[in-house]
Amino acid sequence: MKLLIVEDSALMRRVLRENFADQDDLDLAFARDGEDALEKLESFEPDVITLDINMPKMDGLTCLAHIMEQRPCPVIMLSSLTDKGAVATFEALELGAVDFVAKPDGTVSVNLESVMGELKRKIRSAASGRSARTARPTRRARTPAPRPRSIAPAADTRRKATRTYVPDLLLIGSSTGGPGSLQTLLEGIPADFPAPILIAQHMPPKFTAAFAKRLNDTCNVEVVEVSETRPLHAGVVYLAAGGGDVVVRKKLNRLVAEPATSDPQFVWHPSVSRMVASALDHVPANRLMGVMLTGMGDDGSDEMAEIHKQGGSTIAESQETAAVFGMPGQLIEKDGASVVLPVHEIAAELCRWTSSLSSARRRQCS
C-alpha cells in the first residue's frame, strides 16, 4: 500500500516515519507542503494520503480540493485539537476527506503514541476499497445539497416487513466516515419529525460542538450537543459530546439524555453500545428505532440487533455508500437490520415508518 504523508514539520515527519517503521507492507512517501503533495500525487500515485491542515505555501484545505479534482483518493486529515482545528476539519470532510485524527498536542505533536493505533486503523480501513467514493461534491454551509430522488436500490438493499409507528426515540450510531453520512441523513429529516433523535458519533472532545453547530446550520431539524442533561423533545437531534459517552435516563417520568464519563469496558467513545443499552433500560424495544451508519468495528451492533429482535425497527447503511462497512455489516451479520439502504434513502424510509406523518410531511421526506 502506498501511503503519502503530507506534513510541513521536519520533526513530525521524523516521528511519523519512526512510528510507521514496523509496517512492512507500506510504501511510504512524505511531502513538505501542499504544493509538494500535488507533485507527488502524480509521481507516487498514493493509495491513501494523510494531510496536515496548517501548512505554508498551500494549506491542507486548498491541497485537498486539488486532490479531489485531480486524482481523488482516500484522505485522512491530521487536525489540531482546538476549536479552530475542529471547524477546519469539518470543512475538509465536506470537501471529500474520509476521516480525521486529532493530534494530541496541537499542530506540532511529538506525542503521537496515543493516536498511532487509531491512525493506522483508519489508514487500513481507508485503503480497504470502500473509501474511494468519498469525493463528495463541495457543499457550502447553510445550503443543503440536493438529495437524489430516483436512485435505484443497491444490489445489497433488502427489506423485511416493518410496522409503522412513532417511536419514543430514534437512535443513530456512527463512526469512520460518519460526519458525511449523518449530514446526508439529517438533511432529509423534516423539522417536525415526530420523535427525538439521539446520536453517538465516535469523536474526540471539542469536535462535537463544532459538528453540532454545522449540522444545525445546514439541516431543517435543530441539532444540539449533549454537554449537559437535556430533556428529549420530538424534532430535535441530540449529539453525544466527544470524548465521553451519552446515556438515556428517565426523570420525572420523561426521557432525558445525559453526558457520562467514558466507561473503559467500551472501546469506542461516544459509545453506541452504551447509548442503545441505556435506552433499552427505559424504553420497550418496540418503541425504539435504530440506524447504524458507517464505521469500523462492531460498536452497538449487539444492542441494535436486540431492538430488532424485540420488535423495534432498524436500518443498516448499505455497503454501497458506507465509507467503512464494519458497524452496519456486523448488524446485518447478526440479522439485526430490518432494512439495508444507501444513506441517501434512509431519511425517506424513517418518514415512511412514522406513518402518523401527514401526506405533506411524507412528500417532504421522499
Side-chain angles (χ1 to χ4, degrees):
M1 181 177 64
K2 292 184 176 182
L3 173 64
L4 175 62
I5 296 177
V6 187
E7 171 60 59
D8 67 298
S9 165
L11 176 60
M12 283 291 294
R13 290 198 298 271
R14 179 176 64 80
V15 171
L16 285 164
R17 186 184 298 276
E18 290 172 354
N19 276 277
F20 280 104
D22 62 340
Q23 307 290 296
D24 295 334
D25 61 338
L26 282 186
D27 185 0
L28 196 60
F30 288 86
R32 301 182 305 276
D33 53 46
E35 291 181 358
D36 189 22
L38 294 181
E39 291 180 8
K40 288 185 168 63
L41 184 68
E42 301 302 328
S43 61
F44 183 61
E45 297 185 341
D47 298 306
V48 182
I49 298 172
T50 70
L51 182 59
D52 193 15
I53 290 179
N54 299 308
M55 296 184 295
K57 293 187 180 180
M58 181 186 291
D59 65 86
L61 293 178
T62 304
C63 180
L64 176 64
H66 284 295
I67 290 170
M68 290 304 160
E69 182 178 349
Q70 293 176 212
R71 187 182 177 275
C73 69
V75 177
I76 297 169
M77 307 304 294
L78 290 177
S79 309
S80 59
L81 195 59
T82 64
D83 294 335
K84 184 178 179 180
V87 171
T89 297
F90 291 112
E91 291 177 4
L93 292 171
E94 288 190 351
L95 285 169
V98 298
D99 211 330
F100 68 94
V101 172
K103 296 179 181 178
D105 301 324
T107 303
V108 177
S109 180
V110 295
N111 182 30
L112 284 176
E113 288 78 8
S114 61
V115 298
M116 279 306 301
E118 176 189 6
L119 179 59
K120 290 175 181 177
R121 287 194 301 272
K122 288 184 175 182
I123 288 169
R124 298 289 177 182
S125 293
S128 65
R130 301 310 308 173
S131 297
R133 68 171 62 84
T134 55
R136 296 184 295 272
T138 301
R139 293 191 277 200
R140 288 167 28 184
R142 303 180 184 274
T143 307
R147 291 177 295 110
R149 295 183 178 275
S150 59
I151 294 179
D156 59 357
T157 297
R158 67 183 191 187
R159 300 175 185 269
K160 301 176 184 177
T162 57
R163 62 190 181 92
T164 56
Y165 63 103
V166 176
D168 294 346
L169 182 59
L170 169 61
L171 301 159
I172 301 177
S174 185
S175 184
T176 308
S181 288
L182 281 168
Q183 184 163 340
T184 298
L185 191 164
L186 294 177
E187 283 176 355
I189 298 292
D192 51 359
F193 189 74
I197 301 172
L198 182 58
I199 299 172
Q201 160 71 49
H202 299 165
M203 225 173 241
K206 294 184 181 288
F207 283 78
T208 44
F211 187 36
K213 182 180 185 304
R214 200 166 195 87
L215 290 173
N216 189 64
D217 289 344
T218 61
C219 300
N220 295 313
V221 285
E222 179 184 359
V223 183
V224 297
E225 183 193 40
V226 185
S227 56
E228 60 185 9
T229 300
R230 290 182 176 272
L232 296 174
H233 298 287
V236 179
V237 176
Y238 301 87
L239 180 69
D245 293 332
V246 67
V247 293
V248 177
R249 304 285 189 221
K250 186 167 280 190
K251 294 188 176 180
L252 300 177
N253 207 34
R254 69 178 304 172
L255 293 177
V256 302
E258 285 186 350
T261 303
S262 299
D263 187 329
Q265 73 172 299
F266 300 101
V267 177
W268 300 278
H269 305 283
S271 168
V272 182
S273 289
R274 190 176 182 188
M275 175 185 72
V276 178
S278 69
L280 285 165
D281 286 340
H282 299 283
V283 183
N286 61 7
R287 300 295 309 162
L288 294 170
M289 285 184 183
V291 176
M292 187 70 85
L293 298 179
T294 173
M296 288 186 292
D298 61 356
D299 187 23
S301 59
D302 286 334
E303 292 78 10
M304 281 210 185
E306 193 63 25
I307 290 177
H308 176 69
K309 179 181 177 181
Q310 295 186 28
S313 298
T314 56
I315 299 176
E317 182 180 357
S318 70
Q319 193 167 4
E320 175 192 356
T321 59
V324 179
F325 196 51
M327 286 163 55
Q330 284 296 307
L331 182 62
I332 296 166
E333 182 71 21
K334 294 167 183 174
D335 199 28
S338 309
V339 176
V340 181
L341 291 173
V343 69
H344 50 262
E345 295 183 11
I346 293 176
E349 189 76 358
L350 292 170
C351 289
R352 281 190 288 269
W353 284 356
T354 53
S355 61
S356 61
L357 293 175
S358 67
S359 58
R361 284 185 192 164
R362 284 197 294 271
R363 284 196 299 272
Q364 186 178 359
C365 287
S366 60

